[in-house]
PDB file of all heavy atoms in Angstrom:
ATOM      1  N   GLU A  81       8.000   3.755   9.201  1.00 98.00           N
ATOM      2  CA  GLU A  81       7.381   2.375   9.037  1.00 98.00           C
ATOM      3  C   GLU A  81       6.208   2.285  10.061  1.00 98.00           C
ATOM      4  O   GLU A  81       6.159   3.200  11.077  1.00 98.00           O
ATOM      5  CB  GLU A  81       8.272   1.269   9.168  1.00 98.00           C
ATOM      6  CG  GLU A  81       8.980   1.053  10.514  1.00 98.00           C
ATOM      7  CD  GLU A  81       8.343   0.043  11.345  1.00 98.00           C
ATOM      8  OE1 GLU A  81       8.161  -1.114  10.868  1.00 98.00           O
ATOM      9  OE2 GLU A  81       7.833   0.267  12.662  1.00 98.00           O
ATOM     10  N   THR A  83       4.928  -0.660  11.972  1.00 98.00           N
ATOM     11  CA  THR A  83       4.704  -1.593  12.932  1.00 98.00           C
ATOM     12  C   THR A  83       4.974  -1.020  14.409  1.00 98.00           C
ATOM     13  O   THR A  83       4.384  -1.430  15.278  1.00 98.00           O
ATOM     14  CB  THR A  83       5.794  -2.786  12.609  1.00 98.00           C
ATOM     15  OG1 THR A  83       5.587  -3.152  11.315  1.00 98.00           O
ATOM     16  CG2 THR A  83       5.612  -3.899  13.497  1.00 98.00           C
ATOM     17  N   ARG A 112      10.983   8.076   4.415  1.00 98.00           N
ATOM     18  CA  ARG A 112      12.312   7.708   4.468  1.00 98.00           C
ATOM     19  C   ARG A 112      13.167   8.459   3.605  1.00 98.00           C
ATOM     20  O   ARG A 112      12.915   8.649   2.360  1.00 98.00           O
ATOM     21  CB  ARG A 112      12.513   6.248   4.071  1.00 98.00           C
ATOM     22  CG  ARG A 112      11.735   5.135   5.034  1.00 98.00           C
ATOM     23  CD  ARG A 112      11.858   3.784   4.785  1.00 98.00           C
ATOM     24  NE  ARG A 112      10.962   2.919   5.318  1.00 98.00           N
ATOM     25  CZ  ARG A 112      10.740   1.641   5.182  1.00 98.00           C
ATOM     26  NH1 ARG A 112      11.393   0.975   4.324  1.00 98.00           N
ATOM     27  NH2 ARG A 112       9.882   0.903   5.888  1.00 98.00           N
ATOM     28  N   GLU A 114      15.495   8.225   1.469  1.00 96.00           N
ATOM     29  CA  GLU A 114      16.300   7.273   0.614  1.00 96.00           C
ATOM     30  C   GLU A 114      16.617   7.951  -0.658  1.00 96.00           C
ATOM     31  O   GLU A 114      16.113   9.058  -0.959  1.00 96.00           O
ATOM     32  CB  GLU A 114      15.375   6.038   0.354  1.00 96.00           C
ATOM     33  CG  GLU A 114      15.170   5.252   1.570  1.00 96.00           C
ATOM     34  CD  GLU A 114      14.582   3.894   1.183  1.00 96.00           C
ATOM     35  OE1 GLU A 114      15.325   2.936   0.822  1.00 96.00           O
ATOM     36  OE2 GLU A 114      13.347   3.759   1.296  1.00 96.00           O
ATOM     37  N   GLY A 119       9.905   3.456  -8.012  1.00 94.00           N
ATOM     38  CA  GLY A 119       9.282   2.614  -6.981  1.00 94.00           C
ATOM     39  C   GLY A 119       9.859   2.806  -5.581  1.00 94.00           C
ATOM     40  O   GLY A 119       9.605   2.203  -4.673  1.00 94.00           O
ATOM     41  N   TYR A 121      10.498   6.059  -2.909  1.00 98.00           N
ATOM     42  CA  TYR A 121      10.244   7.561  -2.736  1.00 98.00           C
ATOM     43  C   TYR A 121      10.647   7.972  -1.233  1.00 98.00           C
ATOM     44  O   TYR A 121      10.704   7.063  -0.381  1.00 98.00           O
ATOM     45  CB  TYR A 121       8.705   7.765  -3.040  1.00 98.00           C
ATOM     46  CG  TYR A 121       8.379   7.381  -4.357  1.00 98.00           C
ATOM     47  CD1 TYR A 121       7.595   6.138  -4.491  1.00 98.00           C
ATOM     48  CD2 TYR A 121       8.754   8.004  -5.521  1.00 98.00           C
ATOM     49  CE1 TYR A 121       7.369   5.677  -5.756  1.00 98.00           C
ATOM     50  CE2 TYR A 121       8.507   7.488  -6.743  1.00 98.00           C
ATOM     51  CZ  TYR A 121       7.776   6.354  -6.900  1.00 98.00           C
ATOM     52  OH  TYR A 121       7.405   5.753  -8.125  1.00 98.00           O
ATOM     53  N   PHE A 124       5.832   7.748   0.917  1.00 98.00           N
ATOM     54  CA  PHE A 124       5.147   6.629   0.353  1.00 98.00           C
ATOM     55  C   PHE A 124       4.075   6.198   1.194  1.00 98.00           C
ATOM     56  O   PHE A 124       3.888   6.628   2.435  1.00 98.00           O
ATOM     57  CB  PHE A 124       6.136   5.571  -0.041  1.00 98.00           C
ATOM     58  CG  PHE A 124       6.835   4.891   1.062  1.00 98.00           C
ATOM     59  CD1 PHE A 124       6.414   3.678   1.519  1.00 98.00           C
ATOM     60  CD2 PHE A 124       7.968   5.482   1.515  1.00 98.00           C
ATOM     61  CE1 PHE A 124       7.138   3.027   2.609  1.00 98.00           C
ATOM     62  CE2 PHE A 124       8.625   4.936   2.726  1.00 98.00           C
ATOM     63  CZ  PHE A 124       8.212   3.546   3.219  1.00 98.00           C
ATOM     64  N   GLN A 126       1.858   2.793   2.668  1.00 98.00           N
ATOM     65  CA  GLN A 126       1.728   1.271   2.903  1.00 98.00           C
ATOM     66  C   GLN A 126       0.246   0.834   3.428  1.00 98.00           C
ATOM     67  O   GLN A 126      -0.301   1.507   4.077  1.00 98.00           O
ATOM     68  CB  GLN A 126       2.685   0.828   3.977  1.00 98.00           C
ATOM     69  CG  GLN A 126       4.182   0.746   3.675  1.00 98.00           C
ATOM     70  CD  GLN A 126       4.985   0.204   4.787  1.00 98.00           C
ATOM     71  OE1 GLN A 126       4.427   0.043   5.959  1.00 98.00           O
ATOM     72  NE2 GLN A 126       6.227  -0.062   4.546  1.00 98.00           N
ATOM     73  N   GLU A 130      -1.061  -6.237  11.311  1.00 98.00           N
ATOM     74  CA  GLU A 130      -0.198  -6.844  12.485  1.00 98.00           C
ATOM     75  C   GLU A 130      -1.173  -7.714  13.194  1.00 98.00           C
ATOM     76  O   GLU A 130      -2.292  -7.412  13.426  1.00 98.00           O
ATOM     77  CB  GLU A 130       0.408  -5.849  13.274  1.00 98.00           C
ATOM     78  CG  GLU A 130       0.956  -4.560  12.650  1.00 98.00           C
ATOM     79  CD  GLU A 130       2.347  -4.877  11.959  1.00 98.00           C
ATOM     80  OE1 GLU A 130       2.862  -5.979  12.213  1.00 98.00           O
ATOM     81  OE2 GLU A 130       2.817  -4.067  11.130  1.00 98.00           O
ATOM     82  N   ARG A 257      15.735  -9.179   5.426  1.00 92.00           N
ATOM     83  CA  ARG A 257      14.888  -7.983   5.797  1.00 92.00           C
ATOM     84  C   ARG A 257      15.717  -6.849   6.463  1.00 92.00           C
ATOM     85  O   ARG A 257      16.797  -7.153   7.078  1.00 92.00           O
ATOM     86  CB  ARG A 257      13.639  -8.342   6.502  1.00 92.00           C
ATOM     87  CG  ARG A 257      12.803  -9.558   6.052  1.00 92.00           C
ATOM     88  CD  ARG A 257      11.638  -9.115   5.224  1.00 92.00           C
ATOM     89  NE  ARG A 257      10.794  -8.143   5.717  1.00 92.00           N
ATOM     90  CZ  ARG A 257      10.496  -7.020   5.232  1.00 92.00           C
ATOM     91  NH1 ARG A 257      10.843  -6.704   4.080  1.00 92.00           N
ATOM     92  NH2 ARG A 257       9.667  -6.206   5.837  1.00 92.00           N
ATOM     93  N   TYR A 261      13.797  -6.123  14.263  1.00 94.00           N
ATOM     94  CA  TYR A 261      12.885  -6.649  15.259  1.00 94.00           C
ATOM     95  C   TYR A 261      12.499  -8.132  14.834  1.00 94.00           C
ATOM     96  O   TYR A 261      11.841  -8.691  15.508  1.00 94.00           O
ATOM     97  CB  TYR A 261      11.624  -5.857  15.410  1.00 94.00           C
ATOM     98  CG  TYR A 261      10.891  -5.196  14.277  1.00 94.00           C
ATOM     99  CD1 TYR A 261      10.317  -6.018  13.319  1.00 94.00           C
ATOM    100  CD2 TYR A 261      10.739  -3.801  14.129  1.00 94.00           C
ATOM    101  CE1 TYR A 261       9.595  -5.460  12.250  1.00 94.00           C
ATOM    102  CE2 TYR A 261       9.964  -3.258  13.147  1.00 94.00           C
ATOM    103  CZ  TYR A 261       9.388  -4.091  12.148  1.00 94.00           C
ATOM    104  OH  TYR A 261       8.657  -3.476  11.133  1.00 94.00           O
ATOM    105  N   TYR A 262      12.867  -8.570  13.697  1.00 95.00           N
ATOM    106  CA  TYR A 262      12.318  -9.824  13.254  1.00 95.00           C
ATOM    107  C   TYR A 262      13.039 -11.081  13.939  1.00 95.00           C
ATOM    108  O   TYR A 262      14.273 -11.009  14.301  1.00 95.00           O
ATOM    109  CB  TYR A 262      12.505 -10.073  11.711  1.00 95.00           C
ATOM    110  CG  TYR A 262      11.616  -9.114  10.904  1.00 95.00           C
ATOM    111  CD1 TYR A 262      12.216  -8.158   9.971  1.00 95.00           C
ATOM    112  CD2 TYR A 262      10.385  -9.189  10.843  1.00 95.00           C
ATOM    113  CE1 TYR A 262      11.423  -7.331   9.344  1.00 95.00           C
ATOM    114  CE2 TYR A 262       9.526  -8.393  10.085  1.00 95.00           C
ATOM    115  CZ  TYR A 262      10.132  -7.427   9.378  1.00 95.00           C
ATOM    116  OH  TYR A 262       9.225  -6.655   8.626  1.00 95.00           O
ATOM    117  N   THR A 279      10.421  -5.538  -4.407  1.00 95.00           N
ATOM    118  CA  THR A 279       9.644  -6.112  -3.276  1.00 95.00           C
ATOM    119  C   THR A 279       8.379  -5.397  -3.099  1.00 95.00           C
ATOM    120  O   THR A 279       8.571  -4.112  -2.794  1.00 95.00           O
ATOM    121  CB  THR A 279      10.496  -6.143  -1.953  1.00 95.00           C
ATOM    122  OG1 THR A 279      11.778  -6.788  -2.334  1.00 95.00           O
ATOM    123  CG2 THR A 279       9.814  -6.828  -0.814  1.00 95.00           C
ATOM    124  N   VAL A 280       7.273  -5.898  -3.334  1.00 97.00           N
ATOM    125  CA  VAL A 280       6.034  -5.187  -3.204  1.00 97.00           C
ATOM    126  C   VAL A 280       5.472  -5.361  -1.842  1.00 97.00           C
ATOM    127  O   VAL A 280       4.600  -4.576  -1.369  1.00 97.00           O
ATOM    128  CB  VAL A 280       4.889  -5.469  -4.345  1.00 97.00           C
ATOM    129  CG1 VAL A 280       5.427  -5.191  -5.665  1.00 97.00           C
ATOM    130  CG2 VAL A 280       4.613  -6.947  -4.140  1.00 97.00           C
ATOM    131  N   GLY A 303       3.457  -9.726  11.148  1.00 98.00           N
ATOM    132  CA  GLY A 303       2.802  -8.839  10.194  1.00 98.00           C
ATOM    133  C   GLY A 303       3.508  -8.691   8.921  1.00 98.00           C
ATOM    134  O   GLY A 303       4.575  -9.319   8.658  1.00 98.00           O
ATOM    135  N   PHE A 304       2.808  -7.935   8.010  1.00 98.00           N
ATOM    136  CA  PHE A 304       3.520  -7.502   6.828  1.00 98.00           C
ATOM    137  C   PHE A 304       3.019  -6.180   6.352  1.00 98.00           C
ATOM    138  O   PHE A 304       2.105  -5.553   6.935  1.00 98.00           O
ATOM    139  CB  PHE A 304       3.318  -8.491   5.727  1.00 98.00           C
ATOM    140  CG  PHE A 304       1.947  -8.607   5.169  1.00 98.00           C
ATOM    141  CD1 PHE A 304       1.307  -7.627   4.306  1.00 98.00           C
ATOM    142  CD2 PHE A 304       1.124  -9.556   5.484  1.00 98.00           C
ATOM    143  CE1 PHE A 304       0.118  -7.624   3.724  1.00 98.00           C
ATOM    144  CE2 PHE A 304      -0.183  -9.753   4.962  1.00 98.00           C
ATOM    145  CZ  PHE A 304      -0.658  -8.758   4.192  1.00 98.00           C
ATOM    146  N   GLY A 307       3.711  -1.936  -0.240  1.00 98.00           N
ATOM    147  CA  GLY A 307       3.853  -0.653  -0.757  1.00 98.00           C
ATOM    148  C   GLY A 307       2.895  -0.245  -1.798  1.00 98.00           C
ATOM    149  O   GLY A 307       2.788  -0.823  -2.889  1.00 98.00           O
TER     150      GLY A 307
HETATM  151  P1  HAM B 501       9.538  -2.786   4.664  1.00 94.08           P
HETATM  152  O1  HAM B 501      10.053  -4.036   3.865  1.00 94.08           O
HETATM  153  O2  HAM B 501      10.493  -1.730   5.051  1.00 94.08           O
HETATM  154  O3  HAM B 501       8.760  -3.292   5.861  1.00 94.08           O
HETATM  155  O4  HAM B 501       8.309  -2.019   3.702  1.00 94.08           O
HETATM  156  C1  HAM B 501       7.315  -2.869   3.155  1.00 94.08           C
HETATM  157  C2  HAM B 501       6.966  -2.439   1.733  1.00 94.08           C
HETATM  158  O5  HAM B 501       6.790  -0.999   1.714  1.00 94.08           O
HETATM  159  C3  HAM B 501       8.117  -2.749   0.730  1.00 94.08           C
HETATM  160  O6  HAM B 501       8.037  -3.970   0.315  1.00 94.08           O
HETATM  161  C4  HAM B 501       7.776  -1.749  -0.332  1.00 94.08           C
HETATM  162  O7  HAM B 501       6.786  -2.177  -1.161  1.00 94.08           O
HETATM  163  C5  HAM B 501       7.307  -0.460   0.397  1.00 94.08           C
HETATM  164  N1  HAM B 501       8.337   0.436   0.604  1.00 94.08           N
HETATM  165  C6  HAM B 501       9.395   0.463   1.488  1.00 94.08           C
HETATM  166  N2  HAM B 501      10.070   1.675   1.280  1.00 94.08           N
HETATM  167  C7  HAM B 501       9.594   2.251   0.353  1.00 94.08           C
HETATM  168  C8  HAM B 501       9.899   3.470  -0.416  1.00 94.08           C
HETATM  169  N3  HAM B 501      11.000   4.211  -0.029  1.00 94.08           N
HETATM  170  N4  HAM B 501       9.195   3.869  -1.412  1.00 94.08           N
HETATM  171  C9  HAM B 501       8.127   3.179  -1.849  1.00 94.08           C
HETATM  172  N5  HAM B 501       7.802   2.076  -1.294  1.00 94.08           N
HETATM  173  C10 HAM B 501       8.400   1.518  -0.196  1.00 94.08           C
HETATM  174  C11 HAM B 501       8.089  -2.492   6.789  1.00 94.08           C
HETATM  175  O8  HAM B 501       8.018  -1.425   6.670  1.00 94.08           O
HETATM  176  C12 HAM B 501       7.695  -3.490   7.937  1.00 94.08           C
HETATM  177  N6  HAM B 501       6.958  -2.515   8.921  1.00 94.08           N
HETATM  178  C13 HAM B 501       6.645  -4.491   7.484  1.00 94.08           C
HETATM  179  C14 HAM B 501       6.102  -5.258   8.554  1.00 94.08           C
HETATM  180  C15 HAM B 501       4.887  -5.182   9.252  1.00 94.08           C
HETATM  181  N7  HAM B 501       6.728  -6.264   9.303  1.00 94.08           N
HETATM  182  C16 HAM B 501       6.014  -6.821  10.128  1.00 94.08           C
HETATM  183  N8  HAM B 501       4.867  -6.111  10.165  1.00 94.08           N
END
Side-chain angles (χ1 to χ4, degrees):
E81 63 100 48
T83 310
R112 294 184 192 174
E114 295 191 81
Y121 309 101
F124 61 99
Q126 281 183 350
E130 313 294 346
R257 310 263 306 126
Y261 47 62
Y262 292 115
T279 306
V280 295
F304 69 74

